[in-house]
Amino acid sequence: VDSRTTSMGLGLLAVIAARAANDGATLKEIAKLIDSAIPRIRIFFTVDTLEYLRKGGRIGAAQWLLGSLLKIKPILEVIDGHVEGIAKTRSHIKAVDKIRTMTESLGAIEEMAVVYNTALPEAKSLGQSVSRLIPRGEKIFYSAFGPVIGTYTGPGAIGIVSLLKNSAV
């Protein structure tokens, strides 16, 4: 299965697959469940510095210089397997707030994770601010970015991964 996602986007798919398997679903049923869930995964995140995107070849030197001088904090989304810039802010606080409001506008959410690089306390605070968006009794997952993604995002990166309910698509 090509999930066309990464990090906890893939993690949330694994969680729902494991739950289905635990409930006795067949491999074919689980594959169908995952195929229907893939387009419902939304990942919004921001980086605290453009330096690691430049070092990893994700942005050019001119973008890095201009963005750094203007203190640009991009809002990024994983769309069909690619990272796309979807908005810009001028501070980390505004970027995190934008991610929160974008997540709030998604509609009904089935599962959620907060992903971060080095900022667990900030991730916990962000999770608390959006916890009302998921069904009562469900928990928000917290996960550090893995080493590959962390290399590109750098310290201070943070985001929200959501699995929308079927009716929200």
Side-chain angles (χ1 to χ4, degrees):
V1 173
D2 179 1
S3 67
R4 297 182 305 279
T5 190
T6 189
S7 183
M8 277 304 290
L10 185 57
L12 292 181
L13 294 174
V15 166
I16 64 170
R19 285 184 187 148
N22 234 12
D23 292 342
T26 66
L27 185 58
K28 187 174 183 177
E29 291 167 334
I30 294 170
K32 185 176 178 181
L33 174 68
I34 295 303
D35 281 342
S36 72
I38 289 169
R40 296 184 287 128
I41 293 285
R42 299 294 298 271
I43 302 175
F44 302 125
F45 68 102
T46 189
V47 296
D48 198 36
T49 174
L50 299 175
E51 179 68 18
Y52 296 87
L53 293 174
R54 182 190 65 80
K55 285 181 177 179
R58 300 295 182 204
I59 63 171
Q63 279 182 301
W64 166 76
L65 181 59
L66 185 59
S68 295
L69 289 172
L70 296 175
K71 299 186 186 321
I72 298 294
K73 306 298 180 196
I75 308 299
L76 306 161
E77 182 177 9
V78 177
I79 301 172
D80 201 26
H82 302 318
V83 176
E84 304 286 339
I86 56 171
K88 296 174 187 168
T89 64
R90 295 287 299 271
S91 76
H92 184 76
I93 292 170
K94 288 179 182 177
V96 172
D97 190 53
K98 180 78 172 166
I99 288 168
R100 183 187 52 75
T101 59
M102 291 170 61
T103 301
E104 290 171 344
S105 72
L106 291 175
I109 296 173
E110 186 176 322
E111 299 281 352
M112 183 182 292
V114 176
V115 291
Y116 61 95
N117 209 353
T118 57
L120 180 57
E122 183 182 25
K124 293 282 188 178
S125 177
L126 179 58
Q128 287 174 344
S129 74
V130 294
S131 64
R132 64 182 162 45
L133 300 175
I134 60 173
R136 292 190 149 224
E138 294 297 324
K139 67 175 188 170
I140 293 178
F141 295 94
Y142 293 90
S143 177
F145 286 118
V148 173
I149 294 173
T151 298
Y152 288 107
T153 59
I158 191 167
I160 300 176
V161 181
S162 304
L163 172 64
L164 305 181
K165 289 189 182 222
N166 275 322
S167 60
V169 177

